């Protein structure tokens, strides 16, 4: 079974790409959804988070806005939060992969925002990075998550720079040109993997309709604008 690591910064279009894998009947592990369940009403992480950050739990679940105000921009607080959440997410990831193997899936996707930051790329066969120009990313975050410009900047700054993620990727999916363009790239990748699972993709850019670029070329910019 091929284990695909899917990652990208906030607002890059990762959920759209993950949906294409699901439609191709490839199981997808959604780390964000797992975190929501852990922090939701009655979730396994609620008690530990309340102990670490008193006052952020309301009606049996974590108030994510309150938690964001406490932890965002505070490295020590983020470290404590990650020490609570990451082991629980990792446990769910192992269970997901075990189920996928039992079902004889030919591939499985680990959709993890901090895949590279946490060393998760060592657990996958292929790293797929979703990328878009910075201004497109900022616009998406502000409009979809109702975050201020300062909150958006702090959230993006916490993550590995997009240029570094693209440098470390096996495949880069560009979402800044158009949705249709990105979807064609993902479908083409799936067809290639299905027919040639041993294919090496290191330093290849899977932007639809574009030739592969060298690592140096790929690090020069975030791709075409939307």
């Amino acid at each position: 079974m091929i284990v695909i690591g899917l990652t990208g910064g906030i607002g890059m279009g990762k959920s759209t790409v993950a949906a294409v894998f699901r439609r191709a009947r490839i199981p997808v592990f959604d780390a964000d959804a797992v975190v929501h369940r852990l922090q939701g009403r009655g979730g396994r992480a609620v008690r530990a988070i309340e102990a670490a950050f008193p006052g952020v739990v309301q009606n049996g679940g974590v108030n994510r806005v309150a938690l964001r105000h406490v932890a965002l921009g505070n490295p020590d607080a983020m470290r404590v939060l990650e020490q609570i959440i990451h082991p629980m997410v990792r446990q769910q990831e192992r269970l997901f992969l075990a189920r996928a193997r039992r079902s004889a899936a030919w591939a499985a996707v680990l959709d993890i925002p901090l895949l590279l930051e946490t060393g998760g790329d060592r657990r996958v066969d292929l790293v797929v990075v979703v990328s878009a120009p910075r201004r497109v990313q900022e616009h998406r975050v502000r409009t979809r998550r109702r975050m201020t410009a300062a909150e958006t900047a702090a959230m993006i700054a916490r993550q590995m720079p997009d240029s570094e993620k693209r440098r470390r990727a096996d495949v880069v999916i560009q979402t800044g040109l158009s949705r249709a363009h990105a979807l064609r790239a993902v479908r083409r990748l799936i067809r290639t993997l299905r027919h040639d699972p041993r294919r090496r993709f290191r330093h290849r850019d899977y932007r639809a309709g574009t030739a592969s670029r060298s690592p140096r070329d790929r690090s020069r910019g975030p791709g075409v604008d939307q």
Side-chain angles (χ1 to χ4, degrees):
M1 184 178 77
I2 303 171
V3 179
I4 302 165
L6 176 64
T7 192
I10 184 173
M12 289 299 193
K14 192 163 51 61
S15 297
T16 298
V17 172
V20 182
F21 284 107
R22 287 192 181 92
R23 286 196 290 273
R25 299 184 182 277
I26 298 173
V28 176
F29 174 80
D30 186 339
D32 273 345
V34 171
V35 171
H36 276 268
R37 289 196 297 272
L38 291 170
Q39 296 181 354
R41 188 171 183 177
R44 287 179 53 211
V46 171
R47 185 174 298 179
I49 291 174
E50 174 63 17
F53 308 102
V56 301
V57 172
Q58 298 175 3
N59 300 318
V62 175
N63 182 317
R64 295 174 65 85
V65 174
L67 181 61
R68 190 168 68 211
H69 287 322
V70 171
L72 196 60
N74 184 333
D76 290 335
M78 285 303 306
R79 193 156 38 248
V80 170
L81 181 61
E82 288 169 354
Q83 287 171 349
I84 295 170
I85 293 294
H86 286 179
M88 297 182 184
V89 175
R90 182 77 177 91
Q91 180 187 41
Q92 292 302 306
E93 176 193 313
R94 288 193 292 267
L95 292 172
F96 163 83
L97 289 175
R99 287 194 298 270
R101 290 189 175 96
R102 285 198 300 271
S103 67
W106 69 272
V109 174
L110 300 181
D111 177 353
I112 303 176
L114 300 180
L115 180 80
L116 297 174
E117 290 88 336
T118 59
D121 51 323
R122 294 191 296 268
R123 306 194 302 271
V124 303
D125 302 307
L126 186 78
V127 174
V128 177
V129 167
V130 183
S131 178
R134 175 65 178 255
R135 60 184 175 275
V136 173
Q137 178 189 23
E138 291 177 343
H139 175 74
R140 288 170 176 170
V141 174
R142 286 199 301 270
T143 56
R144 296 175 188 174
R145 301 210 175 198
R146 298 181 180 179
M147 296 172 68
T148 66
E151 289 175 332
T152 299
M155 182 71 77
I156 293 174
R158 172 176 165 257
Q159 299 180 334
M160 182 182 292
D162 180 56
S163 59
E164 176 63 14
K165 289 189 176 184
R166 286 185 280 112
R167 188 187 70 81
R168 294 174 59 178
D170 297 308
V171 175
V172 176
I173 302 293
Q174 299 280 4
T175 65
L177 182 61
S178 73
R179 179 186 175 92
H181 214 65
L183 299 188
R184 283 197 299 271
V186 183
R187 294 185 188 115
R188 182 157 60 97
L189 171 62
I190 292 171
R191 287 196 300 270
T192 301
L193 287 173
R194 191 186 295 273
H195 294 126
D196 188 6
R198 295 182 181 275
R199 170 89 170 267
R200 290 181 62 83
F201 287 89
R202 179 62 67 184
H203 302 317
R204 300 185 71 83
D205 185 338
Y206 247 69
R207 184 171 53 183
T210 304
S212 301
R213 292 183 290 169
S214 69
R216 178 176 297 179
D217 287 339
R218 200 170 61 218
S219 66
R220 288 177 182 170
V224 278
D225 202 351
Q226 187 172 31

